[in-house]
Amino acid sequence: MKVLIVDDEPLAQEILVSYVGKFPEIQLIATCNNAIEAKEIINNEAVDLILLDIQMPKISGIEFLKTLENPPMIILTTAFSDYALDAYALNVIDYLLKPISFERFAKAIKKALQQLAQETNTTVSADFIFVKADKKLIKVFFKDLRYIEGLKDYVILHVDNKRIVTLQTMKSLETKLPSSIFMRIHRSYIINIGNIDILEGNSIHIGNKMIPIGKNYKEMLLQIINKNRL
């Protein structure tokens, strides 16, 4: 589950980061100080859950949430109980009052993981995707898709020994790929985990291609690799 923390208080951020780090199934995408920073991130990356403070400068968490057309799951984190009615009207997963205990946090995360699992189970299972390129729809099997490279408004799918260039964002494509097979390891790269040949420092090798690992993605990648390490 991919999580974004939005809170203008450094101590609150620090506590939430430490709590998130106790769940191996969670990938922390980033921490933001305000809703404007958060908006930029969710416009470019797939986010499953936002841990969202309410009282922040410029735009409150509630106002920010109302601007999202297709919001991810939301857990509100706040020192004030006054907003509970508004929060549940916006269909949030949970409403956590500061100071937040780990036990209460864990209960909220469990709800989010259960909802994400239900949503995943209701999607149609397939081992391929159709990609629009050159005025055609091209069928690409997941097993043949080695990695994906972002280039402004385009993405390049590296499929065996050929490239498929399509007009869409990395975020939109990432949401259509199974997370059990594919992982984003950099702002500009999504990889097929099974095609990693070498991990070296802050990069991986897939065949002759060396791909950088972004600092926000390395910990989750290492967790996956260590599960299959001798």
Side-chain angles (χ1 to χ4, degrees):
M1 180 168 66
K2 298 175 181 178
V3 173
L4 175 66
I5 294 173
V6 187
D7 199 308
D8 64 321
E9 300 175 14
L11 180 58
Q13 280 192 15
E14 185 179 332
I15 291 170
L16 291 173
V17 168
S18 68
Y19 285 176
V20 165
K22 297 180 185 296
F23 293 86
E25 58 268 68
I26 295 179
Q27 177 187 351
L28 179 60
I29 296 296
T31 58
C32 301
N33 296 315
N34 55 63
I36 295 172
E37 293 177 10
K39 185 80 170 182
E40 182 178 352
I41 289 173
I42 65 174
N43 282 342
N44 291 288
E45 298 202 36
V47 175
D48 299 312
L49 172 68
I50 301 178
L51 300 172
L52 180 63
D53 187 21
I54 292 180
Q55 290 202 338
M56 294 185 294
K58 299 181 181 178
I59 302 173
S60 74
I62 296 290
E63 291 171 335
F64 168 62
L65 183 50
K66 289 178 178 178
T67 67
L68 302 179
E69 293 183 7
N70 296 298
M73 296 181 292
I74 303 290
I75 294 176
L76 289 173
T77 61
T78 178
F80 303 92
S81 59
D82 309 26
Y83 302 97
L85 191 59
D86 290 337
Y88 286 111
L90 292 168
N91 199 30
V92 302
I93 293 290
D94 212 333
Y95 187 96
L96 302 181
L97 285 173
K98 299 175 181 177
I100 302 167
S101 70
F102 177 72
E103 289 73 20
R104 186 66 184 86
F105 179 84
K107 185 177 179 180
I109 290 296
K110 184 178 179 180
K111 288 183 188 178
L113 288 169
Q114 288 174 341
Q115 180 164 317
L116 183 61
Q118 289 173 357
E119 292 173 356
T120 302
N121 290 337
T122 58
T123 59
V124 177
S125 178
D127 60 353
F128 60 86
I129 190 172
F130 280 98
V131 178
K132 188 174 182 180
D134 298 326
K135 299 180 180 180
K136 298 177 288 187
L137 286 173
I138 303 172
K139 186 177 186 178
V140 177
F141 285 96
F142 294 142
K143 64 180 178 62
D144 299 327
L145 179 52
R146 297 172 65 77
Y147 64 93
I148 299 156
E149 185 176 1
L151 187 64
K152 293 186 178 180
D153 296 328
Y154 291 84
V155 295
I156 304 170
L157 286 76
H158 294 262
V159 184
D160 288 338
N161 295 318
K162 64 181 179 181
R163 303 190 326 159
I164 300 173
V165 181
T166 181
L167 177 61
Q168 63 178 292
T169 64
M170 288 283 279
K171 176 187 174 181
S172 65
L173 182 57
E174 185 179 8
T175 59
K176 300 170 187 174
L177 298 172
S179 59
S180 59
I181 301 174
F182 296 94
M183 179 181 178
R184 192 164 187 169
I185 65 165
H186 187 275
R187 187 178 183 88
S188 300
Y189 289 97
I190 298 171
I191 63 164
N192 185 323
I193 300 167
N195 280 323
I196 298 174
D197 294 315
I198 298 172
L199 169 65
E200 182 180 10
N202 291 318
S203 64
I204 59 119
H205 295 250
I206 294 180
N208 294 323
K209 175 68 176 180
M210 185 172 72
I211 299 174
I213 304 169
K215 64 179 181 179
N216 292 330
Y217 305 93
K218 188 170 184 179
E219 184 175 350
M220 181 59 68
L221 178 62
L222 289 175
Q223 288 177 8
I224 292 171
I225 288 176
N226 285 333
K227 288 179 182 179
N228 299 285
R229 180 178 176 180
L230 294 177

